[in-house]
Amino acid sequence: NLILVSAGNYTRGGEAIGIPSGRGAATTLSAGDAGEIARIPGVRHLAPGVSDRAPVTAGGRRSFTVIQGTDAALPLIHGWSVGRGQFFTRDHVERAAAVAVLGPAASVKLFGDANPVGLEIQIRSRAVTVAGVAEISAGDEADAVFVPYTTLQQMRGIAHLHTITVAAELAGDSSAIAAEISARLRERHRLAADLPDDFTVKTQAGQALTQGLYTSVAAFALANLPKL
């Protein structure tokens, strides 16, 4: 039931069949776009996102890892629980608070077996307090550090978003919601009919159906996804 909206147009290899390629304008997603998507019927949860790779230190330990700026809804989207402490709240996001949640692998790298809740880490020389440790079994997220997206925007000196992760109420509605997202973003970004999208919208279903396919076949499948 997940839909991922990314800044820029990342479709590759489709020039021959008229699919726009290249990264496009990768700074065009905004918090306003996220607010508009949240109003689409059938959207259950939504998390704006900003990402970075940066050194993180705690005492004498150091790890170079992914920093994910996100929203308080992210654990609801992915069904994560928090083993120690708690995930940051919507209030933390609104205040761009200096708080973080560690993936389990990141916690071990920085603190070993110790409970890191309430302790400080340094992200790009900024002190951040650990609010919790998420229970994530595998994947890059287990090694990541999560902070409010507004906090990471401040750290990086940017106002735009890199991604918006959307969870549909019903998995069967994700394709229709993705199409509505595209239509609303094109209107918000004032894109003429002959201009390509300056964003990318992908669904879990679309990624599963098109994995490993030639571009022309993948394009056909995606164009007919609601019928499929």
Side-chain angles (χ1 to χ4, degrees), residues 56-153:
V56 181
T57 58
R61 302 192 182 198
R62 184 178 188 273
S63 176
F64 189 83
T65 191
V66 173
I67 314 299
Q68 288 195 19
T70 186
D71 192 80
L74 191 69
L76 301 176
I77 290 173
H78 291 296
W80 296 340
S81 57
V82 179
R84 290 172 166 173
Q86 62 181 5
F87 209 85
F88 50 78
T89 66
R90 184 62 197 164
D91 179 64
H92 289 132
V93 176
E94 292 175 354
R95 294 189 290 109
V99 295
V101 174
L102 306 180
S107 179
V108 170
K109 286 182 180 179
L110 294 170
F111 294 98
D113 294 331
N115 184 354
V117 175
L119 303 179
E120 284 191 352
I121 60 175
Q122 298 277 335
I123 302 176
R124 293 192 179 277
S125 301
R126 180 172 177 179
V128 177
T129 302
V130 177
V133 179
E135 292 186 346
I136 306 169
S137 58
D140 294 339
E141 288 88 355
D143 199 39
V145 175
F146 302 89
V147 299
Y149 76 88
T150 49
T151 305
L152 191 53
Q153 283 179 322

Side-chain angles (χ1 to χ4, degrees), residues 8-86:
N9 193 318
Y10 292 89
T11 305
R12 292 183 176 86
E15 295 89 344
I17 55 173
I19 299 176
S21 61
R23 290 182 177 270
T27 62
T28 51
L29 281 185
S30 67
D33 291 333
E36 179 65 27
I37 292 170
R39 287 190 282 272
I40 295 175
V43 170
R44 184 177 187 183
H45 299 298
L46 178 148
V50 179
S51 62
D52 193 13
R53 290 190 67 88
V56 181
T57 58
R61 302 192 182 198
R62 184 178 188 273
S63 176
F64 189 83
T65 191
V66 173
I67 314 299
Q68 288 195 19
T70 186
D71 192 80
L74 191 69
L76 301 176
I77 290 173
H78 291 296
W80 296 340
S81 57
V82 179
R84 290 172 166 173
Q86 62 181 5

